[in-house]
Amino acid sequence: MYVKAKEVFKTELGTLYRGDAREILKQIPTSSVDAVITDPPWGVGFDEYDDFKVFLDVVDELYRVMKPDSWLVAFIATKRLFDLVPLLKKFEYKWLIVNINLVSSEKSRNPFGGISNYQAIIVFSKGKPKTYLKKPDVIFSTDLPILEEMPKDLQYKGTYTALILISMFSKEGDLVLDPFAGYGSIPLVCELFGRRWIGIEIDPIKYEIAKKIISEKKIFNIEKMKEELKKRGETELTRYIDNNKK
């Protein structure tokens, strides 16, 4: 499958594209994806790419690329739950999973002035898909034993949480799509547990960090890498990553 993107990174199991999900999704074949598992933009001011409307813009394309019986699973800021109503025109709402986050941020305040330490994971279905693992609907966000240092960035999603979701809503050999791949934890877990995958990320800094995480199968100090990459500028990102490979 040829897809036009700004950059392409491939492994034996998957492909990470750098570019706008609104454009790249149009190039993915119809009814080819077994599950969409993603952390879309929340629209709470994380960075210049944090635009919740982009998620709503790709709903039709997500529906098109998904197989007749498949899952759409998305991390969502609690304040955005009612903004998901447009998805009900295409998908059936199935359930809400609570992800308890051990890392907090000023960007994640509740309306009462306190820090919000959980995220909603909303589960939608297209058709009548199967589940493959029975788990409680509360997950404590943590990581598999592949950490070099625990990330503090709230946009990073723990690999243990990703594993639970991937195990519940896909089986080995399935194709999992993450159209907002961020730092790459969902593609990484697909890589580790035998799922084929497609990832899309528009942010060049997150894209380069995701490439390193996926290729080396380790979680690094994301905050340090971000600062170093920002200092070097986009034209030097690839050279920096190559020089810092172990």
Side-chain angles (χ1 to χ4, degrees):
M1 177 181 69
Y2 173 76
V3 172
K4 183 179 179 181
K6 291 182 179 180
E7 290 186 63
V8 179
F9 166 73
K10 291 189 175 185
T11 71
E12 290 186 4
L13 287 174
T15 306
L16 181 66
Y17 299 102
R18 182 165 79 85
D20 192 322
R22 292 169 291 191
E23 299 302 321
I24 292 176
L25 284 171
K26 295 175 183 177
Q27 305 175 64
I28 295 176
T30 299
S31 300
S32 59
V33 171
D34 294 286
V36 176
I37 302 175
T38 192
D39 179 23
W42 289 8
V44 297
F46 280 128
D47 53 43
E48 62 184 293
Y49 302 104
D50 188 24
D51 183 356
F52 181 75
K53 184 177 179 296
V54 175
F55 181 45
L56 300 181
D57 288 344
V58 302
V59 168
D60 288 347
E61 282 301 310
L62 292 178
Y63 189 87
R64 180 188 64 80
V65 303
M66 291 167 63
K67 290 182 178 180
D69 297 305
S70 53
W71 295 104
L72 168 58
V73 183
F75 292 84
I76 294 292
T78 312
K79 64 183 289 184
R80 293 294 182 190
L81 292 179
F82 288 102
D83 295 328
L84 296 174
V85 170
L87 275 73
L88 298 177
K89 296 178 182 179
K90 292 282 186 179
F91 298 96
E92 180 181 353
Y93 167 77
K94 301 302 289 188
W95 203 246
L96 183 152
I97 298 171
V98 175
N99 186 48
I100 306 295
N101 202 334
L102 303 179
V103 177
S104 59
S105 166
E106 293 295 318
K107 300 288 188 184
S108 183
R109 285 195 173 274
N110 62 43
F112 315 110
I115 297 294
S116 178
N117 282 97
Y118 78 95
Q119 300 136 12
I121 302 171
I122 307 298
V123 182
F124 292 96
S125 67
K126 175 182 177 181
K128 303 293 183 182
K130 297 178 181 179
T131 53
Y132 300 94
L133 177 69
K134 295 180 179 179
K135 296 293 287 186
D137 54 8
V138 175
I139 304 172
F140 285 88
S141 182
T142 185
D143 268 280
L144 300 171
I146 53 175
L147 277 177
E148 289 216 342
E149 190 168 339
M150 175 67 77
K152 297 178 182 178
D153 191 314
L154 195 61
Q155 290 182 286
Y156 169 80
K157 296 300 179 287
T159 50
Y160 175 76
T161 302
L163 175 59
I164 294 299
L165 299 177
I166 287 166
S167 300
M168 289 176 69
F169 301 111
S170 73
K171 64 182 185 301
E172 191 170 347
D174 277 355
L175 178 60
V176 175
L177 168 65
D178 183 357
F180 305 100
Y183 297 117
S185 54
I186 291 171
L188 169 60
V189 174
C190 289
E191 191 80 12
L192 292 172
F193 290 90
R195 272 63 168 177
R196 296 175 298 125
W197 58 271
I198 297 172
I200 305 169
E201 179 51 47
I202 191 171
D203 184 336
I205 290 179
K206 290 191 182 78
Y207 177 85
E208 289 296 336
I209 293 174
K211 279 172 56 179
K212 183 176 177 69
I213 284 173
I214 295 166
S215 61
E216 300 195 22
K217 297 181 174 58
K218 291 181 181 179
I219 305 300
F220 299 93
N221 185 323
I222 287 175
E223 292 74 25
K224 182 179 179 180
M225 291 182 67
K226 282 175 66 176
E227 289 305 312
E228 292 294 332
L229 291 168
K230 285 178 182 177
K231 289 178 184 177
R232 285 160 175 78
E234 186 173 349
T235 58
E236 297 184 39
L237 293 182
T238 302
R239 185 191 313 167
Y240 171 75
I241 294 297
D242 290 340
N243 290 340
N244 282 271
K245 284 184 177 178
K246 294 189 174 181

